[in-house]
Amino acid sequence: MLHGKRILLIIAGGIAAFKSLDLIRRLREQGAHVTPVLTKAAEEFVTPLSVSALAAEKVYRDLFDLTVEHEMGHIELSRAADLVVVAPATSDLLAKMAGGLANDLASTLLMATDKPVLCAPSMNVRMWLHPSNQRNVARLREDGIRFVGPGEGEMACGEYGPGRMAEVPEIIAAVSEVLADGPLKGKHVLVTSGPTHEPIDPVRYIANRSSGTQGTALARALMALGARVTFVTGPASVPPPEGAEVIAVETADQMRAAVLAALPSDAAVFAAAVADWRVVSASDSKIKKDGSGHIPALELAENPDILAEVSKLTENRPGLVVGFAAETNDVTAHATAKRARKGCDWIVANDVSPETGIMGGRENAVTVITGEGAETLPRMSKTEVAEKLATRIAEALS
Ligand code: CTP
């Protein structure tokens, strides 16, 4: 997703600097080139050798190395990148940035750059909430500096609250968003994916065979065209797409809440195989055999239809709502009726008869039904289906 992008990564001196090692690895996995810069304090937390080994690049550490100008000068270094990421961004470095100080390599590069800057703050909760830090952050936001995090939680110092550096996938998502390019740049697309699990008791649940492959491929294809994707996923068997904002849920009720909370969006694609029913009163403790041969009966209730609810919203309805329909016979007729019943704009019907091997498989054969009619695509990989759908969505939103 970040193929060929150049990122200048400034690592300041905070305990979260260890996460930046993983950040380097994950950015490179995405195809980015990472040029690392360490502050003096950062060297107390991570060694230049490990940073350099992971980045497969020289580590820049000292302003005066650069002013000798054997290699790249600081102006050039600060501008050769497509994006400057500061992770962790300490309160000290944020204060320098807000005040325009340039007294070491990191602060000088930040003053000299003409590229977007993304900060992932990391500090103790009191330091984060301190009025001077809040003032600096507000000033930097006004200056156009972008932020990801901080998250809330237990801190290395034992306190609890905001100040924890954003997790690596969140930072990657923010980087992808800043660097996004393509017809969906600036568009927000919501994707649901995977099955839902409906608990019977703490150890048993009702589920289905959805793997999440099609939804994940769709999210990737939408991001490749520049979209910001919120990915609401049930317990899928494939890993979620890197670069999306991932919201993991278990039940249909949780998926509904997550979807409504993620709106507004420009488009919403409902690829999840949501369980139609849930167990009315799931047991809090494991249901035991009592030895009498009594077999428990499960009372089921209908789950909310998330696609239908979002399609019928009067406020916050996405501009384009796309549903999926799993059919085994009369695919187009059933899916056309489903489109009308649910009120979505498009429905993507797939033939899931067992002999097709589509459910849980790598290929898909779909018919796209819109207000203008139905088009059946030849059988192809789920990745290709995703690319075709993403292109159509981009055309519809343009
Ligand atoms: N859907 C949803 N919420 C539900 C059920 C389904 O959002 N509670 C969405 C799915 O994500 C999918 C579409 O609605 O986009 C599928 O509708 P559904 O009525 O479940 O159709 P099928 O799975 O095809 O099943 P059936 O033919 O039994 O209606």
Side-chain angles (χ1 to χ4, degrees), residues 192 252 270-276 303-308 322-327 338 341-342 347:
T192 72
F270 292 83
V274 184
D276 288 318
N303 269 331
D305 189 323
I306 311 166
L307 171 63
V322 182
F324 273 72
E327 308 292 348
K338 196 169 282 173
R341 200 165 60 240
K342 301 218 180 200
I347 206 145

Side-chain angles (χ1 to χ4, degrees), residues 20 43 60 87 93 116 122 135 172 178 199 237 270 277 282 300 304 313 319 323 341 347:
S20 305
E43 290 183 28
Y60 292 86
L93 187 51
S122 167
R135 210 162 42 234
I172 303 261
V178 180
S237 47
F270 292 83
W277 303 283
L300 302 180
L313 286 176
R341 200 165 60 240
I347 206 145

Side-chain angles (χ1 to χ4, degrees), residues 192-194 196 198 252-253 255-256 259 269-277 302-310 322-328 334-335 338 341-342 344 346-350 352 359:
T192 72
S193 184
T196 64
E198 307 297 330
D253 272 333
M255 185 171 276
R256 173 183 175 272
V259 163
V269 185
F270 292 83
V274 184
D276 288 318
W277 303 283
E302 200 162 311
N303 269 331
D305 189 323
I306 311 166
L307 171 63
E309 185 174 345
V310 170
V322 182
F324 273 72
E327 308 292 348
T328 52
H334 280 141
K338 196 169 282 173
R341 200 165 60 240
K342 301 218 180 200
C344 55
W346 300 356
I347 206 145
V348 182
N350 46 5
V352 291
M359 199 84 168

